[in-house]
Amino acid sequence: MLVDLIVHGAARLVTCASSGGPKRGAAMREVGSLAGGALAVKDGRIVAVGETSEVLAQYEAAEMVDASGRAVCPGFVDAHTHLVYAGERLDEFEMRIQGKSYQEIMLAGGGILNTVRQTRGASPDQLINQSAARLATMLELGTTTAEVKTGYGLDTASELKMLLVIEKLARQQSVELIPTFLGAHSVPPEYRGRTGEYARLVIEEMLPAVADWYARSDFAAQAKPCFIDVFCEEGVFDADLTRQILQAGKGCGLALKAHVDEFVAMGGTTVGIDLGAISLDHLDHTPPTEMAHLAASPTVAVIIPAVNFNLGSPEFAGARAMVDSGVAVALATDLNPGSAPCPSLPLVMAIACRYQGLLPAETLNAITINAAHAIAMGDKIGSLEVGKQADFIILEVADYRHLAYQFGVNLVQQVFKRGRRVV
Ligand SMILES: [Zn+2]
């Protein structure tokens, strides 16, 4: 049978294949590694995965890629980013080095609100140009799909501007994007002290506009989800407002996510599980009873150790215990200008192995198949299986564990999106 592309002779073809949902427990240690593996691609989809001799006996292709001496892995999925923003936060970086806490900086009008000011003032083209450069870097580092949040607009027009920027970025470059409306990221300065009123604005004015945009967007046309997310945190949105906002989003047909338990446990994990959230993210301070509920739920835990690393914190989310207790764990960068100016999922793997006791295999599953499930795309991407999109990367090395073992180096040599070489 004639196909478009065959990758053959891989030292290791790492599939991260999972039957059904995200991987849990002992399955996290299995990456589905095939010595001498090959992959056949037609019309952007994988039509065969197997040993090279088997695949070459059944298929021929115009484009042959010799992967001998190298590992082939699924393209990485970054399930949590704030990559659309204007301006940098270098002064804040220095304040933190000198001992100011994240929350002290936030209360002083810095932090997220600093980026809100600059993002509101930026034109769509400025946002697109700055964000496209970040996406190009992510692609070179192996990321083929990324979730992208709004949340630096915090008024209806600026939030819609960010969604339109995400839609345009999705059209013009190779990283596949999944949008998230995060109007409830922070309370804007004009609503200071009136969090409840701002939540009403999110629910009554922003949400209908977002639902209307989504219905007419490329994402809906391509049967891709749009998420709603809330920063459930002390001084931001409490569990009750989080529930109201997520419930309203669900009513508008959006899928649910939430930032929970990053600094203080607020009950957001229970709210998210109750409402059927696809993912709950951060989980640094989640109490054991809520963690047990999470393990028994279909919700994916998105763990973000680049933030703890960036804040110079000695404390990290208990990812080891989460995996051992059966929570479906994914890892993400949280790419943003304040708490994680980091586009690299391999660096996140390296941090998770060192500070959270995860094995390289667990971290690879966490940035591929489990991350795909964290954005409701697990049936299309995240593993090398027949029928899925041909999103894969070829490393410079034969063993994928180098991704976590080495750091500060890019081991991704080639990147393919839907069977097309894009790096
Ligand atoms: Zn975030």
Side-chain angles (χ1 to χ4, degrees):
M1 184 184 170
L2 186 65
V3 295
D4 301 323
L5 171 76
I6 293 175
V7 180
H8 58 90
R12 288 279 168 183
L13 187 85
V14 180
T15 66
C16 297
S18 169
S19 51
K23 294 195 179 198
R24 296 169 189 269
M28 288 286 283
R29 293 186 195 178
E30 304 296 331
V31 292
S33 176
L34 197 65
L39 192 65
V41 178
K42 190 169 171 56
D43 299 328
R45 293 190 178 281
I46 298 169
V47 293
V49 179
E51 286 182 17
T52 292
S53 57
E54 293 168 5
V55 171
L56 293 182
Q58 287 185 59
Y59 299 92
E60 48 188 304
E63 189 178 1
M64 301 289 285
V65 176
D66 181 355
S68 56
R70 290 166 290 164
V72 177
C73 303
F76 304 148
V77 178
D78 199 337
H80 185 138
T81 85
H82 306 252
L83 82 89
V84 174
Y85 61 84
E88 311 295 342
R89 304 222 309 246
L90 291 162
D91 294 341
E92 190 179 306
F93 176 54
E94 291 191 334
M95 283 170 72
R96 267 207 317 275
I97 292 169
Q98 292 167 323
K100 294 266 187 280
S101 75
Y102 181 94
Q103 277 149 317
E104 282 173 319
I105 292 167
M106 194 166 74
L107 290 172
I112 290 169
L113 297 182
N114 181 358
T115 300
V116 169
R117 213 157 36 239
Q118 301 196 60
T119 304
R120 282 177 171 178
S123 71
D125 282 346
Q126 286 169 330
L127 290 173
I128 286 170
N129 290 338
Q130 293 181 24
S131 306
R134 292 174 201 129
L135 284 165
T137 304
M138 291 163 71
L139 190 66
E140 286 178 5
L141 290 161
T143 299
T144 49
T145 302
E147 182 261 13
V148 187
K149 300 177 196 297
T150 68
Y152 295 127
L154 307 188
D155 61 46
T156 305
S158 302
E159 287 292 305
L160 283 174
K161 175 175 75 175
M162 291 190 74
L163 287 168
L164 289 168
V165 164
I166 294 168
E167 192 175 15
K168 283 194 176 172
L169 282 165
R171 286 180 198 152
Q172 72 172 47
Q173 52 77 56
S174 298
V175 180
E176 185 169 356
L177 304 182
I178 298 298
T180 294
F181 166 58
L182 181 55
H185 192 195
S186 186
V187 178
E190 62 272 22
Y191 279 86
R192 182 170 296 178
R194 297 186 292 143
T195 303
E197 271 180 65
Y198 179 67
R200 293 257 69 80
L201 181 79
V202 170
I203 291 169
E204 289 165 11
E205 185 180 300
M206 291 188 196
L207 245 180
V210 170
D212 184 54
W213 163 82
Y214 174 52
R216 291 180 288 107
S217 73
D218 294 350
F219 300 105
Q222 295 161 4
K224 288 177 186 163
C226 177
F227 286 88
I228 182 168
D229 191 344
V230 177
F231 192 11
C232 182
E233 185 57 58
E234 192 171 78
V236 197
F237 299 94
D238 64 18
D240 184 44
L241 289 176
T242 298
R243 183 183 292 274
Q244 291 179 38
I245 294 165
L246 290 181
Q247 200 136 37
K250 192 174 181 178
C252 291
L254 305 187
L256 310 187
K257 287 181 173 291
H259 290 63
V260 296
D261 307 329
E262 181 176 356
F263 299 103
V264 179
M266 303 279 291
T269 297
T270 295
V271 169
I273 295 168
D274 283 354
L275 294 175
I278 302 294
S279 83
L280 293 170
D281 301 24
H282 287 289
L283 302 156
D284 292 81
H285 296 96
T286 307
T289 48
E290 286 187 274
M291 198 55 83
H293 292 152
L294 189 58
S297 79
T299 302
V300 178
V302 177
I303 305 304
I304 299 176
V307 169
N308 309 67
F309 174 81
N310 182 63
L311 298 178
S313 169
E315 290 177 14
F316 287 79
R320 176 75 269 151
M322 289 184 209
V323 170
D324 292 341
S325 70
V327 175
V329 170
L331 289 163
T333 62
D334 201 7
L335 172 58
N336 76 75
S339 63
C342 171
S344 172
L345 282 166
L347 180 61
V348 170
M349 292 172 76
I351 296 168
C353 286
R354 286 163 180 79
Y355 292 98
Q356 295 177 298
L358 297 188
L359 292 165
E362 293 170 324
T363 63
L364 185 68
N365 282 316
I367 65 164
T368 55
I369 185 66
N370 281 16
H373 282 288
I375 56 171
M377 292 283 285
D379 58 337
K380 298 187 179 79
I381 58 170
S383 61
L384 302 181
E385 294 180 86
V386 171
K388 283 199 167 179
Q389 279 179 206
D391 296 1
F392 60 93
I393 61 175
I394 302 178
L395 304 182
E396 287 175 4
V397 290
D399 190 325
Y400 76 89
R401 292 177 297 176
H402 279 282
L403 287 167
Y405 170 63
Q406 299 191 41
F407 55 94
V409 60
N410 185 8
L411 298 172
V412 177
Q413 187 191 59
Q414 297 176 51
V415 179
F416 290 76
K417 183 68 186 176
R418 295 190 189 87
R420 203 168 59 81
R421 188 190 274 102
V422 289
V423 172

